[in-house]
Amino acid sequence: MQNLPPFKGRLNGFDLNCDLGEGLNNEALIMPFITSANIACGYHAGDVNTMYSCVDLAVKHKVSVGAHISYLDRENFGRMEMDLSDAEVFELVQQQMIVLNEVADLFKIRFSHVKPHGALYNQSAKNKNLAKVIARAVKDFDPQLILFGLSSSHSITEAQRLGLHTANEVFADRSYQDDGSLTPRSQPGALIDSVDEVLIQVRQMAEKGRVTTISGLSIPVVAETICIHGDGKKAVVFAKAIQELLQKNE
């Protein structure tokens, strides 16, 4: 087995990640510009075939592979909040990692990180116990894995408490609330669709460790990995522009 390149260090010390394998079929266009791919594991989108295709592309482009885990909720693309038992959460996290690991084995590589998706991501950022269960499931599977979570949230602090490697995540194409959470997609202004606005936000987060919220407040963030959403209409354009921005500052 070989490990793909570490998630940090290729773009001026920052990782650029993207959620992929979600049915948009744009992976080949995005992969050349990113350093980490979060691959849907079948619970909110994707299947074994899409996972295989994504891992194949990631290996060819020397992009780190990660498991993009979710509630079992294909109907709502993993965006419906659920109230599961600790055992159910532990099982769903482990099962998705098992499937991606089986695909990774075919390429004789190990996947490097885990990132929750949608409602699971947002709930675990705010719910200490849920964050702890997810982190425990990841560590139990492989203590060398990196857990991606919302910057400075419970997702990060609970994983660190267990001794798990973490990556504080910030978002290039989403707006923020004053408490550091993402603006819900149901609210106006949740998505950023301007390249110029995306680059302003990335530059602010990367250079100053701050982000301007939707109300105009400047709040601190820890930016270790920067996310763009693969299901966004301008995902390819954003990926290319952010890569160029980070490379200019190397």
Side-chain angles (χ1 to χ4, degrees):
M1 290 291 175
Q2 62 171 320
N3 290 310
L4 290 179
F7 79 101
K8 289 203 304 182
R10 288 189 58 202
L11 295 171
N12 194 28
F14 294 99
D15 177 50
L16 179 57
N17 80 74
C18 187
D19 305 335
L20 297 172
E22 297 177 324
L24 277 294
N25 300 317
N26 55 3
E27 289 81 12
L29 298 175
I30 292 176
M31 206 71 76
F33 305 114
I34 62 175
T35 51
S36 290
N38 318 311
I39 300 174
C41 298
Y43 275 42
H44 73 281
D47 53 30
V48 172
N49 290 329
T50 57
M51 282 185 267
Y52 185 96
S53 175
C54 286
V55 173
D56 185 29
L57 283 167
V59 170
K60 289 175 180 175
H61 289 280
K62 295 183 169 55
V63 169
S64 295
V65 170
H68 199 29
I69 60 171
S70 169
Y71 287 128
L72 181 53
D73 177 32
R74 295 180 71 92
E75 182 179 352
N76 301 291
F77 200 65
R79 290 176 177 153
M80 184 177 73
E81 291 193 357
M82 296 187 181
D83 183 17
L84 305 182
S85 69
D86 290 359
E88 288 173 319
V89 172
F90 188 94
E91 180 71 9
L92 76 85
V93 172
Q94 291 245 319
Q95 285 302 314
Q96 290 174 82
M97 291 189 293
I98 288 170
V99 175
L100 183 62
N101 192 58
E102 289 174 350
V103 175
D105 280 346
L106 298 175
F107 293 88
K108 296 183 169 52
I109 63 146
R110 297 184 184 280
F111 69 92
S112 65
H113 65 277
V114 176
K115 176 185 169 180
H117 163 83
L120 185 63
Y121 184 96
N122 292 321
Q123 281 185 268
S124 61
K126 297 177 180 179
N127 185 312
K128 187 175 182 178
N129 184 67
L130 180 58
K132 184 188 300 183
V133 174
I134 292 171
R136 186 161 50 84
V138 171
K139 185 178 181 181
D140 183 73
F141 188 84
D142 182 352
Q144 296 305 310
L145 286 169
I146 303 163
L147 182 64
F148 285 19
L150 184 67
S151 173
S152 303
S153 69
H154 286 309
S155 300
I156 296 294
T157 56
E158 290 306 305
Q160 291 177 340
R161 212 169 257 127
L162 288 177
L164 197 62
H165 302 293
T166 60
N168 283 275
E169 184 175 39
V170 294
F171 291 79
D173 54 5
R174 293 290 303 276
S175 66
Y176 281 78
Q177 297 288 292
D178 291 351
D179 64 357
S181 64
L182 300 178
T183 302
R185 288 174 178 265
S186 59
Q187 295 183 17
L191 305 178
I192 302 173
D193 59 8
S194 160
V195 175
D196 288 341
E197 290 180 19
V198 161
L199 293 180
I200 288 170
Q201 180 152 298
V202 169
R203 187 179 292 111
Q204 184 184 27
M205 294 187 295
E207 295 178 358
K208 299 180 180 178
R210 305 191 73 82
V211 68
T212 301
T213 70
I214 201 163
S215 73
L217 183 68
S218 176
I219 61 171
V221 290
V222 179
E224 294 175 325
T225 183
I226 301 166
C227 175
I228 55 171
H229 288 89
D231 62 338
K233 293 180 180 178
K234 297 182 180 178
V236 178
V237 176
F238 288 168
K240 185 175 186 296
I242 295 170
Q243 185 209 52
E244 289 175 352
L245 172 67
L246 295 176
Q247 285 179 328
K248 283 180 184 177
N249 293 329
E250 284 185 319

